[in-house]
Amino acid sequence: MNILADLWNAPAGASPMGCSTTGSSEAAMLGGLALKWRWRQKRLAEGKPADKPNIVAGPVQICWDKFARYFDVEIRQVPLEKGATGLRPHQLAQYVDENTIGVVAILGVTFTCDFEPVAELSAELDRIQAETGLDIPIHVDAASGGFIAPFLYPELVWDFRVERVASINASGHKYGMAPLGVGWVVWREPALLPEDLIFRVDYLGGDMPTFALNFSRPGGEIIAQYYLFQRLGRQGYREVYEACAATAQYLGEEVAAMGPFELLYDGRGALPAISYKLKDPAGAGFTLYDLTDQLRMRGWQVPAYPLPADQQDTVIQRILIRHGIGRDEMALLAEDMRRALHRLTAGKPAELPEDVSRIGFHH
């Protein structure tokens, strides 16, 4: 945990606390629970009602909807503005109030792959506090970006360098490169994790504190994560993700050159990934869902989906580049995309090499 706290720039002497989880979804829910408990403790201490908590977020992953429903918190999901790829600071004032337990900032938006501006969101909350007295913390959902930003964008201020950031979660099995089944959540200091959320178990021998939604689970993924930290180090992770980012940018250039697509995110400044939409959905003669079907026949799984409210009429696709996916594979994908576009726009199959079957789906 000290490695993660250092990676995310925890203040010296703050004694950060954290735990492993089965993935970033559980880690996010634990971060949300700590926000709710602290808000409730403060409200009760002030003699105020504590029965209507809310949490404010932009286009978050489904785990935050689960958190809100399972733990009786209203989720105030801020709609996407036209042209935006995530929550924007000026939107906060309309949604926060005295019942807001925290704001969720996303480092690696699920839908668009972009980073939300954590430091700017914090500055807006500073302004709101100066004006209204509301002191609202931030939880950073860095499920993907928590293992990208420290290595590719060390100058980007998004982590515990932002004083309002109380906790951060990340997925070890996404860009942390650990085996499937491990996530992490870290709090800036012990006071931010209420003691009554921690259970102390003695029937395994000794005193074992635990904060989790389950109990027994494998430990191999944790060991693997530690091994990767030691084996690769900062330089190793940086070199891996520099290669991934270069591959994503190459693919973005290829997709942009095909003609019908407009890049929403080009692989620069956030995740090693791209996202794009049709420039002219009405006049294209096909949808991105059609393109998904064509690519699936060649073995590629490239999802098409609508953006969240208020941009749900916009359908996009995204492609994530992870360790082990090189430029050769993405060149093949780009070529298959061009063939698919020919089929969809010309109304007949493109010419294929003799050794490539026309139709067939496989993993």
Side-chain angles (χ1 to χ4, degrees):
M1 199 55 60
N2 288 332
I3 294 175
L4 288 171
D6 180 65
L7 187 67
W8 297 334
N9 292 293
S15 302
M17 293 184 68
C19 61
S20 64
T21 63
T22 54
S24 56
S25 291
E26 181 187 2
M29 292 188 199
L30 297 183
L33 280 172
L35 291 176
K36 180 180 178 180
W37 250 247
R38 291 204 318 276
W39 171 84
R40 186 171 62 186
Q41 289 172 346
K42 181 180 178 181
R43 295 283 291 179
L44 294 177
E46 294 172 347
K48 298 177 180 178
D51 58 339
K52 294 181 179 179
N54 69 68
I55 194 164
V56 174
V60 287
Q61 203 256 8
I62 193 66
C63 71
W64 288 102
D65 295 279
K66 289 184 176 181
F67 163 76
R69 187 175 302 178
Y70 295 167
F71 298 106
D72 199 21
V73 176
E74 176 195 358
I75 185 167
R76 295 183 175 177
Q77 201 154 1
V78 182
L80 271 179
E81 292 186 337
K82 188 174 180 60
T85 55
L87 177 64
R88 293 296 176 257
H90 67 269
Q91 296 178 289
L92 289 176
Q94 294 178 259
Y95 291 88
V96 299
D97 60 24
E98 64 178 1
N99 292 319
T100 301
I101 65 175
V103 169
V104 179
I106 309 296
L107 207 73
V109 176
T110 300
F111 301 92
T112 60
C113 309
D114 206 356
F115 290 170
E116 291 181 339
V118 179
E120 289 84 349
L121 292 170
S122 178
E124 176 62 11
L125 290 173
D126 289 344
R127 187 196 67 78
I128 291 171
Q129 182 177 4
E131 189 175 285
T132 67
L134 298 175
D135 184 8
I136 299 170
I138 291 175
H139 173 88
V140 179
D141 184 346
S144 296
F147 286 106
I148 294 295
F151 307 114
L152 290 186
Y153 319 109
E155 74 288 347
L156 179 66
V157 178
W158 65 274
D159 48 23
F160 291 125
R161 287 171 289 182
V162 179
E163 189 173 352
R164 200 171 286 275
V165 172
S167 49
I168 300 169
N169 73 274
S171 171
H173 59 239
K174 289 188 176 75
Y175 287 105
M177 293 192 281
L180 184 65
V182 64
W184 304 97
V185 58
V186 178
W187 287 268
R188 168 192 292 275
E189 56 183 309
L192 297 175
L193 175 55
E195 178 64 30
D196 58 355
L197 284 174
I198 301 173
F199 292 83
R200 300 189 177 276
V201 180
D202 59 8
Y203 50 73
L204 298 179
D207 176 33
M208 188 182 81
T210 176
F211 178 31
L213 300 183
N214 60 3
F215 191 69
S216 298
R217 54 192 167 86
E221 297 89 344
I222 298 170
I223 296 169
Q225 184 81 85
Y226 178 73
Y227 168 78
L228 287 164
F229 286 156
Q230 296 296 325
R231 175 68 180 84
L232 296 176
R234 288 180 180 267
Q235 180 178 347
Y237 271 87
R238 183 174 63 252
E239 290 178 0
V240 166
Y241 290 128
E242 283 176 345
C244 290
T247 299
Q249 291 160 21
Y250 158 78
L251 181 60
E253 292 167 359
E254 291 288 304
V255 170
M258 292 176 193
F261 305 115
E262 176 184 340
L263 291 175
L264 298 176
Y265 171 64
D266 64 358
R268 292 173 170 83
L271 298 183
I274 63 169
S275 59
Y276 52 91
K277 64 179 182 178
L278 288 172
K279 290 179 181 176
D280 180 15
F286 67 95
T287 69
L288 290 182
Y289 297 108
D290 296 327
L291 179 59
T292 291
D293 290 340
Q294 290 289 321
L295 292 175
R296 187 178 293 118
M297 289 192 291
R298 298 290 303 131
W300 303 103
Q301 297 189 55
V302 180
Y305 49 86
L307 288 175
D310 286 341
Q311 299 299 315
Q312 63 267 35
D313 291 338
T314 300
V315 176
I316 74 168
Q317 288 183 325
R318 66 168 186 169
I319 300 171
L320 297 168
I321 308 299
R322 296 180 62 185
H323 179 44
I325 302 297
R327 186 164 300 195
D328 288 348
E329 289 93 339
M330 292 302 95
L332 291 173
L333 172 58
E335 185 59 29
D336 279 339
M337 287 182 71
R338 283 188 282 268
R339 292 192 183 108
L341 288 176
H342 182 83
R343 294 190 190 100
L344 292 168
T345 56
K348 60 181 181 179
E351 292 297 324
L352 297 177
E354 292 182 0
D355 60 342
V356 178
S357 60
R358 289 187 186 276
I359 296 176
F361 173 66
H362 58 84
H363 288 281

